[in-house]
Amino acid sequence: MKVLFIGGTGNISTPSSRLAVAKGMDLYVLNRGKAKVDIEGAHSIIGDINKPEELTELKKHDWDVVVNWIAFTADDIERDIELFKGKTKQYIFISSASCYQTPLSYPVITESTPLSNPLWDYSQGKIACEDRLLEEYRKNGFPITIVRPSLTYDTVIPIAIGGFNKYNTAQRILDGKEIIIHGDGTSLWTVTHSDDFAKGFVGLLGNTPAIGHAFHITSDEVLSWNMIYKILADALGKEAKVVHIASDFICKVEPSFTGTLLADKAESVLFDNTKIKTFVPGFKATIPFSEGIKRTIKWLKENPEHQNIDTDTQAKIENVLKAYKSLAT
């Protein structure tokens, strides 16, 4: 099976790239050549998907599957439809679980949960992408499959503030400084290791019955945010000094946190993975967070250049803590 990944060397996509090769797929990865990740066994095409003059090599091929990991706007989708109509048997768009109804009217999410997130332009862009793809599927039979990852990690730290590609909160834990947990920390969430995500995702490649369908792919492990941060601290070998602060207050003091909090992680979310397990028999996430985050911390220790302490994020954390403590004086 001849597969093209647009992107393919990121936090979520790298394990999927490696598993696709391991499964015997003829994988091509299109990127700008800036990532240092090497996917052994994959073909590399250097080019920018947004620059047609760099896509001469790409246009020579027909594909069984095209996956775009880095499309964010309806214009990106319009470009891909023009590039790949009649050139692929399946086009997979990587959307986001943040597109689901916010706030939720029912806490258990299935693929039929409405898509509506007025609080985050990132999610609105992904919804617009889905809408355009569904229109093209209905009108012209463009062979789409939509995948909505939730909080998925491998080389990043999956927390709400001072994490992901930033090492701020991890370093604060190591330094014995206070960290922020939004709300009282008892709301529920699911974090998914990229290796587990890959098992479900690669099972959708070339999966003809999946055309026209949307899927989320997550772990079935459900943790409170208090537990997520405790497990992180345990992996770092320290005890976290936690300050619980309401999400509304955090975002009032620092509005830039609105997307990751009020638009995404501020309320409990439970994912029903029945659909992906039906279309990819045998799929099961097997890496608990307590194991996966140890792998992440080990990788970050071995690659200290990725321990990114963002000064702007650090200032925002301190500003929220200062504003909160001023209420008690």
Side-chain angles (χ1 to χ4, degrees):
M1 188 158 54
K2 190 175 178 183
V3 178
L4 172 67
F5 280 7
I6 303 168
T9 56
N11 165 63
I12 301 180
S13 56
T14 296
S16 291
S17 296
R18 289 174 174 151
L19 183 58
V21 171
K23 293 283 188 181
M25 297 179 188
D26 190 15
L27 179 65
Y28 291 70
V29 177
L30 171 71
N31 59 41
R32 292 172 295 174
K34 295 182 178 181
K36 297 180 180 179
V37 178
D38 179 44
I39 308 298
E40 186 176 352
H43 310 280
S44 177
I45 301 178
I46 302 301
D48 186 335
I49 191 67
N50 293 303
K51 296 179 180 178
E53 69 275 10
E54 295 184 8
L55 302 180
T56 303
E57 173 65 23
L58 180 72
K59 292 177 179 178
K60 295 177 182 178
H61 298 269
D62 289 337
W63 310 97
D64 292 302
V65 186
V66 171
V67 181
N68 195 332
W69 297 91
I70 52 172
F72 302 99
T73 69
D75 287 344
D76 293 339
I77 296 303
E78 209 65 55
R79 173 205 63 210
D80 282 7
I81 290 170
E82 289 304 310
L83 272 173
F84 299 114
K85 62 183 178 182
K87 301 280 285 182
T88 186
K89 297 175 184 176
Q90 184 185 30
Y91 174 91
I92 300 182
F93 167 61
I94 306 300
S95 186
S96 169
S98 70
C99 295
Y100 287 123
Q101 184 186 53
T102 304
L104 287 166
S105 58
Y106 184 72
V108 180
I109 291 179
T110 71
E111 285 79 0
S112 62
T113 296
L115 305 185
S116 175
N117 190 337
L119 298 175
W120 201 0
D121 54 1
Y122 167 79
S123 306
Q124 293 163 22
K126 290 288 191 179
I127 292 170
C129 291
E130 291 200 26
D131 288 345
R132 180 64 187 94
L133 285 168
L134 286 167
E135 178 187 38
E136 192 65 20
Y137 167 70
R138 290 167 181 151
K139 289 184 177 179
N140 301 311
F142 191 61
I144 67 164
T145 298
I146 294 167
V147 175
R148 302 175 185 136
S150 185
L151 191 55
T152 307
Y153 71 101
D154 178 15
T155 57
V156 300
I157 297 175
I159 53 176
I161 296 174
F164 212 67
N165 61 351
K166 299 178 179 64
Y167 201 67
N168 292 67
T169 291
Q171 191 62 53
R172 292 180 72 88
I173 293 171
L174 289 168
D175 293 342
K177 294 181 178 179
E178 293 175 329
I179 67 166
I180 298 170
I181 296 181
H182 59 282
D184 63 2
T186 60
S187 59
L188 304 176
W189 200 261
T190 295
V191 289
T192 306
H193 196 280
S194 296
D195 285 352
D196 277 336
F197 174 88
K199 299 172 194 174
F201 179 76
V202 172
L204 293 174
L205 302 180
N207 189 326
T208 302
I211 291 173
H213 286 268
F215 302 85
H216 52 244
I217 305 171
T218 78
S219 171
D220 292 321
E221 181 182 45
V222 179
L223 298 168
S224 70
W225 280 107
N226 283 332
M227 187 56 65
I228 289 170
Y229 281 90
K230 184 182 186 310
I231 291 171
L232 169 61
D234 288 347
L236 291 164
K238 296 287 185 176
E239 186 172 342
K241 294 181 179 179
V242 172
V243 179
H244 290 102
I245 305 177
S247 298
D248 286 340
F249 183 86
I250 294 169
C251 297
K252 182 178 180 180
V253 176
E254 291 292 347
S256 63
F257 289 136
T258 299
T260 56
L261 281 182
L262 295 182
D264 195 31
K265 302 176 183 68
E267 61 179 302
S268 291
V269 168
L270 303 171
F271 290 96
D272 181 339
N273 284 293
T274 300
K275 188 173 183 181
I276 185 64
K277 292 176 181 178
T278 301
F279 280 74
V280 183
F283 166 69
K284 181 177 176 60
T286 58
I287 303 171
F289 184 57
S290 57
E291 175 188 333
I293 195 61
K294 289 177 183 175
R295 298 186 193 179
T296 301
I297 297 302
K298 181 176 183 291
W299 184 87
L300 286 165
K301 287 179 178 178
E302 293 170 351
N303 298 271
E305 68 276 13
H306 290 278
Q307 295 179 19
N308 173 30
I309 307 297
D310 182 69
T311 55
D312 185 49
T313 298
Q314 196 79 335
K316 290 176 180 178
I317 292 171
E318 292 291 351
N319 192 33
V320 172
L321 286 167
K322 180 180 178 181
Y324 178 69
K325 291 177 181 180
S326 71
L327 296 177
T329 61

